[in-house]
Amino acid sequence: MDSSSLRGLRDEYAELEKQLADPAVHADQNRARKLGRRYAELSPVIKAIGELDTARDDLAAAQELAHEDSAFAAEAQEIAARIPALESRLTELLLPRDPYDGSDVVMEIKSGEGGEESALFAGDLLRMYLRYAERHGWKAEVLDSVDSDLGGYKDVTLSLKSKGSDADGVWSRLKFEGGVHRVQRVPATESQGRIHTSAAGVLIYPEPEEVEVEIDPNDLRIDVFRSSGPGGQSVNTTDSAVRVTHLPTGIVVSCQNEKSQIQNRARAIQVLQARLQALAEEEAASKAADARRSQVRTVDRSERVRTYNFPENRISDHRVNYKAYNLDQVLDGELGAVLDALATADREERLAAAGS
């Protein structure tokens, strides 16, 4: 990046600092959060630019003084040796970011092949993500669920929100979770002790902070029904649950966990917006032959992204050849090492693309 572009980033950073110091800005929480995230995103870049500029100035001074005092020659060599690492760090920080990295997410977990065992595994995945969210101080909310007979989930939709204005939000950590997750274990339904393989699917979308997808009310069919709990028992005496069908795409979203029909309707439409946004992104990426990873839409065991092997306490992510023998800890929410491996691989790919 040339010096004028770097100067532009510094000017933007100074302007953000000025706006965030204005109490009037914080009257609009969405605007303040958006500005705060951009400020947090630029902070390490500005710091790296400053460190590199300082090193280059120090090198020039040491080289000039070395003509008069040989002691400065060694110092110049030491500074010169540090500059390539500082330049590499700045190059990495200046790589194009995923525009949704600061976003909250909507996640769907669906049982697939394996019947009740798959539904039980979907419940295990739900608990894993809820525990991970708890460890990070995120707000997790189950928006809708279809329970199975043995206590698992045929389908569950949840919202995960960060509470701060960090540059890296929920999407930055979980965006690679989409796909088929395969489990190998002795099912609770197996009387012979045989190991079975089944699968559950995870779909994940960035949740727009503001309306980014306009929905024509004429394209919606809205049905109301009575909320139900496990086993189909009624948990509400009024028809407060809402099912929204987007007629052009056939996407159906249900929400029954809010207190009123109006709240359920608003939440369902918000989830629908997130799904339509993801659909639009995928279509655009396909037309542009974008290299962004696509999520597996069919829950087929052969199309797995990750395997959870209970007998060996092993977790494997097949996209980055990651393998560890701490499955019990991962299912308890300790996903950090797995997610770090995916993020590192993505960063290396982007660095390689930038250098080619």
Side-chain angles (χ1 to χ4, degrees), residues 87-342:
E87 290 174 335
S88 295
R89 173 62 177 159
L90 180 57
T91 298
E92 183 178 325
L93 288 169
L94 290 173
L95 286 175
R97 286 175 55 87
D98 185 326
Y100 296 110
D101 269 352
S103 297
D104 299 323
V105 306
V106 173
M107 175 183 282
E108 296 181 59
I109 304 172
K110 300 175 179 289
S111 64
E113 294 184 13
E116 283 293 336
E117 164 61 8
S118 175
L120 289 170
F121 178 53
D124 292 336
L125 291 177
L126 172 63
R127 284 186 288 275
M128 177 181 75
Y129 291 122
L130 290 176
R131 290 286 291 128
Y132 184 74
E134 182 183 344
R135 291 172 185 271
H136 283 261
W138 296 342
K139 179 184 177 182
E141 179 184 5
V142 175
L143 303 176
D144 189 52
S145 62
V146 179
D147 305 319
S148 71
D149 294 337
L150 296 182
Y153 292 93
K154 295 179 182 178
D155 196 337
V156 59
T157 303
L158 64 152
S159 165
L160 297 167
K161 297 177 179 289
S162 64
K163 296 179 180 178
S165 57
D166 294 338
D168 293 328
V170 182
W171 175 258
S172 70
R173 290 301 286 166
L174 298 184
K175 61 184 173 182
F176 299 121
E177 289 302 283
V180 173
H181 296 239
R182 184 176 66 172
V183 62
Q184 295 173 326
R185 65 183 176 188
V186 178
T189 55
E190 170 61 54
S191 59
Q192 303 297 320
R194 293 174 297 185
I195 296 174
H196 285 227
T197 298
S198 61
V202 174
L203 304 177
I204 188 164
Y205 321 97
E207 182 169 357
E209 290 184 13
E210 301 172 0
V211 177
E212 297 183 29
V213 177
E214 293 185 7
I215 299 175
D216 186 341
N218 295 323
D219 289 339
L220 301 180
R221 186 178 72 237
I222 298 177
D223 303 303
V224 296
F225 56 97
R226 190 160 296 177
S227 301
S228 61
Q233 65 184 17
S234 176
V235 296
N236 201 322
T237 57
T238 61
D239 293 334
S240 63
V242 173
R243 181 185 300 110
V244 177
T245 303
H246 187 245
L247 300 175
T249 61
I251 293 174
V252 180
V253 177
S254 298
C255 190
Q256 63 176 7
N257 287 13
E258 302 290 349
K259 293 180 180 179
S260 72
Q261 185 183 123
I262 293 175
Q263 290 173 318
N264 278 322
R265 174 179 170 140
R267 198 70 183 95
I269 289 178
Q270 191 174 10
V271 173
L272 175 61
Q273 288 171 339
R275 292 185 64 177
L276 289 173
Q277 179 74 23
L279 184 62
E281 287 287 326
E282 286 180 4
E283 289 175 350
S286 176
K287 290 177 182 178
D290 199 301
R292 185 175 177 177
R293 292 177 176 84
S294 61
Q295 297 177 34
V296 177
R297 290 293 189 245
T298 57
V299 187
D300 180 343
R301 289 179 303 196
S302 65
E303 296 291 340
R304 83 281 190 216
V305 297
R306 192 176 294 157
T307 296
Y308 303 71
N309 185 298
F310 277 68
E312 298 180 17
N313 197 36
R314 184 185 77 234
I315 182 162
S316 307
D317 196 292
H318 309 290
R319 297 163 293 182
V320 292
N321 295 319
Y322 175 89
K323 185 182 294 184
Y325 293 86
N326 64 337
L327 176 58
D328 53 340
Q329 296 173 20
V330 170
L331 289 173
D332 193 42
E334 294 186 18
L335 270 166
V338 188
L339 301 180
D340 285 345
L342 290 162

